Amino acid sequence: MDDLLASLNDPQREVVTHVDGPMLVLAGAGSGKTRAITYRLAYLIRHDTPPWNVLAITFTNKAAEEMRRRVEALNTPRGATLCTFHSLCAALLREFADRAGIRPNYSIYDRDDQVRLVKEAMTRAAVPVAAVVPTRVLAKISHAKNSLQTPAALAEAAAGDRDRQVAEVYRRYEELLTANNALDFDDLLLRMAFVLRDNADVCELLGRRYQYVMIDEYQDTNHAQYLLARAITLRHRNLAVTGDPDQSIYAWRGADISNILEFENDYPDAKVIRMEENYRSTRAILHTASNLITHNVMRKDKALWTQRPGGPNVRLLYCNDEHDEAARVAGRIGKLRDAGVPCENITVFYRLNSLSRVIEQAFLAAALPYRVARGLEFFNRKEVRDLLAYLKLLVNPDDDVSCLRIINTPARGIGSVTIDHLRRHARRGGGAILSTCACGLQAGLKPPAAKKALAFAKLIESLQGLLEAPVPDVVNHVIEEVDFRQALASREEPRDSPTWANVMELVNTAAEFDQARQGGSLAEFLHQVSLVSDADHFDGGDGAVTLMTLHAAKGLEFPVVFIVGCEDSLLPLKRGDEPDKWSQASRARYEEERRLAFVGMTRAMDELTLSCARRRMVRGRTTPQAASPFLEEIGTDFVTVEDLTTPAPSAAAHRRLAGRFYTDGSSDADQRRIIEAMEVDAEQYVPSQYTYLRPGCRVYHPKFGPGLVTNMGTQRWPDTRIDVLFDDCGPKRIVLKHADLELIGQ
DNA sequence: TGATAGGTGTTTTTT
DNA sequence: ACACCTATCA
């Protein structure tokens, strides 16, 4: 442990060794924050805090997993709770279900389920679905929930008919959730916050259980999360939060940046630590990103600095259209690969998921391996959702949304007429759809329909007999009894659709769950699955370029980064309903877009490229695009502009050009210019294993043995030289490129 | 009851 | 451009 402390800088060491009382860590991008809090966790446990008294909350499951891995790598005893706010609350709500007024077998509704429920609520509230878009209403409901507004409060504050309608839908929506014994994502946080507010004993108990609480990405917590943190730490006040106001990018989802800005007011005795030395990026990248972020008005000033040398300039790529842009990015990546850069070191960011398509096409054409880090590719598949709906219904028979989803899947002759009848009858009697099915004729169904409904109820009932069995057994049993395979086979699937493989993958997930949590209940499994996204299973190192949204990029780092689509209405993104000119009212949103760009840029370690297109196909129309205003704000000091656009050729001509670029290697002048530009750059690439190299690092040289870096030369790669004081051979100057140095400590 | 066509809306970003 | 929903027909 002490050896580890030695490898930290002063503020990092302060973070790690702080034990009791509140602490605020303002950690700039790339300042080694994750490392510091991981070490602190280990430090606490090494200094006699039982691991089960430590709670560390991260923003994503992936981050939690990563931290668990790192803590274990430090040989720290296991047992600390490492999770997201949502999964913490899901578990606590199972434990304290009675206090929350729900049953522990509750269902968690994801966005898709929520939309269905909102639609139902709209029907009941007699709001025509055509008049208001359900997703819009849902957004408003979510917003209301995040600000702890009840339907009644919303109705009271309503300014017009539209608002009143929303409030009414909200009321019905809540009713439906209760009837279905279900919670949505927002509820998980809210309900638990209410439990803590209203039950001093639970507060007390959790305070004792979680003696030390750490929260990462605190700038992106919302009000409910703030209340939760406060309640749990009320007694001992051992709350350590880390974050960076400049990286707050989730205000749209209710994140409240004042949580972190006001922390010092809430805890006047808080120890405040600033980490401003950046270990990740070259000076060129850091300087350019800093230039951008200083344009934010609503901001605490902070100066990031690095000891790393300048590195190659940030490149600004102007392209003709999105195909041209994609082809150039792909071409550049091809060059890097040929120069020996592993593809997993490279990433492409974009503002909208929809931008990935063109990039993917270009990568396919160039035969570049890539992976798209999309949120829910797997769990959104119909077959997976259907299977999960069966499981949910078994656990929670009141879950009408799941019931309706599978009542006729696979087809068992229960059509819309029968379903409508069931719904009406269920609603009148206040029962669930499933129990109404079991009523058969008594539900007023015609004999043939009643028979089918009864059969369905029987099927579910028989499956419920297995609830106590290990989770994988239940899953397999359902697949067999429901004859899932048959159902899938009869469905006309498009060629090479790995439908069945997806079902099997869910079985695997269940097996993994069972292994990790011996005797875990099916409810637990379903809750976990509901809170996990595909991106969580996503770990690099598979030799592929990663494609992801800027939001997904948070917390990651890559040696080589491309940000595409740096255009005016795309980054910053302008919504359809936004006025032409950015108004004062939308300034906060505008600044969040700037922070988003900042987050993307600061992911880069060695090389950063920003690109934009002159024209882009948006919603089926080719529109002229202006460059992002951010591209001017990054300054010119460390920026190289590559404007390779040609004067107004037709879009078709460009597609031809982009296509030819890879197929026949034809050599018109334009193309030669592109290739030459790429070759020059490929030489400037600095391998990422040297990213963290700086004075003070310990390195190992195959010939001279271990030594201490005393000075970094300012020469650009590949000429970079460094001075090393070797333990055995004394001081030497080394050309970085030729020495196979290994970094052994910082 | 299921398949198809045409019309409509859609696009932030994610737990 | 595309996905999804609804209305219409077999």
Side-chain angles (χ1 to χ4, degrees), chain A residues 384-397:
Chain A
V384 175
R385 295 195 60 112
D386 286 347
L387 183 48
L388 285 172
Y390 273 98
L391 298 171
K392 280 187 184 178
L393 185 59
L394 295 187
V395 172
N396 176 16

Side-chain angles (χ1 to χ4, degrees), chain A residues 319-322 355 567-570 612-627 651 655:
Chain A
C319 310
N320 289 311
D321 58 26
E322 73 270 27
L355 296 192
E567 291 141 39
D568 194 8
S569 52
L570 212 48
C612 61
R614 299 275 199 219
R615 284 179 303 284
R616 184 177 295 274
M617 180 90 94
V618 183
R619 287 219 285 277
R621 296 217 159 274
T622 301
T623 31
Q625 296 284 95
R655 257 188 298 284

Side-chain angles (χ1 to χ4, degrees), chain A residues 310-354:
Chain A
N313 277 3
V314 171
R315 282 175 332 134
L316 236 172
L317 208 56
Y318 288 83
C319 310
N320 289 311
D321 58 26
E322 73 270 27
H323 298 284
D324 184 25
E325 179 185 48
R328 286 189 175 154
V329 169
R332 166 82 183 133
I333 292 174
K335 283 288 167 205
L336 285 168
R337 186 184 55 177
D338 295 347
V341 181
C343 282
E344 69 243 30
N345 284 6
I346 305 172
T347 187
V348 181
F349 298 148
Y350 34 79
R351 178 63 234 265
L352 299 176
N353 268 315
S354 55

Side-chain angles (χ1 to χ4, degrees), chain A residues 131-394:
Chain A
V132 200
V133 192
T135 54
R136 266 294 211 267
V137 181
L138 187 59
K140 290 205 167 127
I141 291 176
S142 176
H143 184 76
K145 284 194 178 186
N146 280 323
S147 39
L148 308 185
Q149 240 180 340
T150 60
L154 194 64
E156 207 152 302
D161 281 350
R162 182 62 67 83
D163 287 355
R164 261 186 294 281
Q165 278 182 333
V166 171
E168 177 59 12
V169 175
Y170 179 17
R171 190 178 69 77
R172 306 253 183 184
Y173 173 81
E174 288 294 285
E175 255 174 37
L176 285 168
L177 279 174
T178 309
N180 286 341
N181 188 28
L183 301 177
D184 63 22
F185 286 137
D186 300 324
D187 284 336
L188 291 172
L189 306 175
L190 281 190
R191 295 291 190 104
M192 196 55 216
F194 288 151
V195 168
L196 287 168
R197 183 194 63 188
D198 302 333
N199 298 271
D201 59 325
V202 178
C203 231
E204 181 77 15
L205 191 146
L206 292 183
R208 267 200 305 275
R209 183 185 297 173
Y210 303 122
Q211 287 284 326
Y212 293 92
V213 179
M214 296 162 76
I215 304 175
D216 195 15
E217 308 283 8
Y218 195 66
Q219 78 281 355
D220 282 321
T221 51
N222 65 22
H223 190 57
Q225 291 166 330
Y226 167 83
L227 293 175
L228 283 163
R230 224 180 144 75
I232 295 176
T233 58
L234 207 58
R235 228 171 63 100
H236 50 66
R237 294 166 48 85
N238 295 327
L239 173 62
V241 303
T242 57
D244 178 4
D246 284 339
Q247 294 184 64
S248 154
I249 53 174
Y250 282 96
W252 55 271
R253 170 177 128 180
D256 187 350
I257 196 169
S258 60
N259 286 349
I260 193 165
L261 296 178
E262 307 278 313
F263 191 85
E264 289 172 77
N265 294 341
D266 287 344
Y267 300 92
D269 56 327
K271 182 162 184 176
V272 181
I273 297 169
R274 288 187 164 71
M275 294 167 57
E276 297 184 342
E277 179 175 0
N278 176 296
Y279 296 117
R280 178 184 295 154
S281 310
T282 62
R283 231 174 79 224
I285 292 167
L286 196 63
H287 189 84
T288 309
S290 298
N291 277 349
L292 176 70
I293 202 65
T294 47
H295 282 81
N296 270 3
V297 176
M298 301 176 281
R299 169 172 190 265
K300 273 191 181 179
D301 202 34
K302 177 173 49 178
L304 286 172
W305 56 281
T306 180
Q307 298 185 27
R308 285 197 68 183
N313 277 3
V314 171
R315 282 175 332 134
L316 236 172
L317 208 56
Y318 288 83
C319 310
N320 289 311
D321 58 26
E322 73 270 27
H323 298 284
D324 184 25
E325 179 185 48
R328 286 189 175 154
V329 169
R332 166 82 183 133
I333 292 174
K335 283 288 167 205
L336 285 168
R337 186 184 55 177
D338 295 347
V341 181
C343 282
E344 69 243 30
N345 284 6
I346 305 172
T347 187
V348 181
F349 298 148
Y350 34 79
R351 178 63 234 265
L352 299 176
N353 268 315
S354 55
L355 296 192
S356 75
R357 177 182 293 259
V358 206
I359 308 286
E360 288 182 66
Q361 282 169 359
F363 278 28
L364 283 172
L368 283 172
Y370 70 90
R371 286 184 66 178
V372 187
R374 237 186 300 262
L376 298 157
E377 201 129 276
F378 177 69
F379 291 105
N380 258 348
R381 299 301 305 256
K382 186 185 182 309
E383 60 276 12
V384 175
R385 295 195 60 112
D386 286 347
L387 183 48
L388 285 172
Y390 273 98
L391 298 171
K392 280 187 184 178
L393 185 59
L394 295 187

Side-chain angles (χ1 to χ4, degrees), chain A residues 700-712:
Chain A
Y700 186 87
H701 189 282
K703 205 147 105 214
F704 305 130
L708 181 74
V709 179
T710 54
N711 187 39
M712 298 283 301

